[in-house]
Amino acid sequence: EVQLVESGGGLVQPGGSLRLSCAASGFTVSSNYMTWVRQAPGKGLEWVSLIYSGGRTYYADSVKGRFTISRDISKNTLYLQMNSLRPEDTAVYFCARVDYSRTSGAFDVWGQGRMVTVSS
Amino acid sequence: EIAMTQSPATLSVSPGERATLSCRASQSVSSNLAWYQQKPGQAPRLLIYYASTRATGIPARFSGSGSGTEFTLTITSLQSEDFAVYYCQQYNYWPSFTFGPGTKVDIK
């Protein structure tokens, strides 16, 4: 079964750091484009970061320089390292697969989401 | 930067009726437009890609149309499980993927 299972997250003070993990099964993370999307409480969806199968990375302006997307081939896992966190980063974070081959870019598999709360 | 808008913000529909949701892009996104359904406490689910192609396992009562800047998602004969929030998303301008603000479909 194709699946993404997230872990990590929680409560952190402003300026702190957290790392989210997204373990894949049924497909290979490093052979796909992978992305992170977040959703602030009661709000809509916001794209956060993208990693190409070749390793190139991209970030939304709101997180550039503070967040880092990466992957571990041996663990078939995607990561989002979040540093210098701000209260406005409070959101549920979803990982997702970007289906480039069939759809040219729709997000066809999603993790269940993890809550990140930035508060003192 | 591409901006996506959706209307209406909330749509009240009776079970069995048709729902028509609109999505507009600030500039042409060709047919690189997806629709997602999200229920409370759940991740979004891909419904439609390439503006009009149903994703795997999506019932035929969901259909999409449009190209360029104007798009529509139609749900014929709404079922109880269809009451949710629907988002459109452009993926024409990589790597920036822009979502619309969503339309909530609730029970009338």
Side-chain angles (χ1 to χ4, degrees):
Chain A
E1 180 189 6
V2 172
Q3 189 173 239
L4 292 168
V5 177
E6 299 180 44
S7 58
L11 175 64
V12 63
Q13 292 188 340
S17 298
L18 276 178
R19 188 178 80 161
L20 298 175
S21 300
C22 172
S25 56
F27 72 98
T28 303
V29 164
S30 61
S31 298
N32 285 269
Y33 299 172
M34 300 294 296
T35 193
W36 289 94
V37 174
R38 68 184 180 183
Q39 186 170 39
K43 303 297 184 182
L45 302 167
E46 178 189 16
W47 172 75
V48 172
S49 183
L50 169 72
I51 185 166
Y52 281 177
S53 53
R56 190 163 184 176
T57 59
Y58 297 90
Y59 301 92
D61 288 343
S62 58
V63 307
K64 200 173 295 182
R66 301 187 298 122
F67 289 14
T68 302
I69 188 172
S70 65
R71 62 198 181 190
D72 185 323
I73 296 173
S74 66
K75 295 182 179 179
N76 204 27
T77 297
L78 177 74
Y79 300 100
L80 185 68
Q81 177 66 43
M82 302 180 290
N83 298 332
S84 302
L85 282 161
R86 306 166 179 169
E88 56 264 35
D89 296 318
T90 295
V92 174
Y93 286 73
F94 298 97
C95 61
R97 184 177 73 176
V98 182
D99 182 3
Y100 183 75
S101 62
R102 187 167 57 103
T103 74
S104 293
F107 301 172
D108 68 332
V109 181
W110 292 70
Q112 83 277 20
R114 297 294 289 183
M115 185 70 204
V116 171
T117 303
V118 185
S119 175
S120 54
Chain B
E1 183 173 316
I2 298 288
M4 306 297 292
T5 57
Q6 291 185 243
S7 61
T10 302
L11 185 60
S12 297
V13 184
S14 298
E17 291 188 339
R18 171 192 295 255
T20 302
L21 290 65
S22 295
C23 173
R24 176 176 291 179
S26 60
Q27 55 188 281
S28 176
V29 298
S30 186
S31 293
N32 294 313
L33 189 286
W35 289 94
Y36 300 87
Q37 176 193 67
Q38 187 180 33
K39 298 178 181 179
Q42 296 186 18
R45 177 174 70 144
L46 177 64
L47 298 176
I48 301 284
Y49 59 92
Y50 281 145
S52 61
T53 303
R54 278 190 302 278
T56 303
I58 302 302
R61 64 180 181 274
F62 291 91
S63 64
S65 63
S67 66
T69 61
E70 302 281 343
F71 301 88
T72 301
L73 174 70
T74 302
I75 314 170
T76 58
S77 190
L78 267 153
Q79 307 296 301
S80 58
E81 62 266 29
D82 300 334
F83 293 97
V85 179
Y86 293 83
Y87 295 94
C88 62
Q89 176 214 21
Q90 71 81 20
Y91 53 90
N92 192 58
Y93 296 96
W94 287 57
S96 180
F97 302 93
T98 317
F99 292 90
T103 291
K104 181 180 181 181
V105 177
D106 66 14
I107 301 175
K108 188 175 183 179

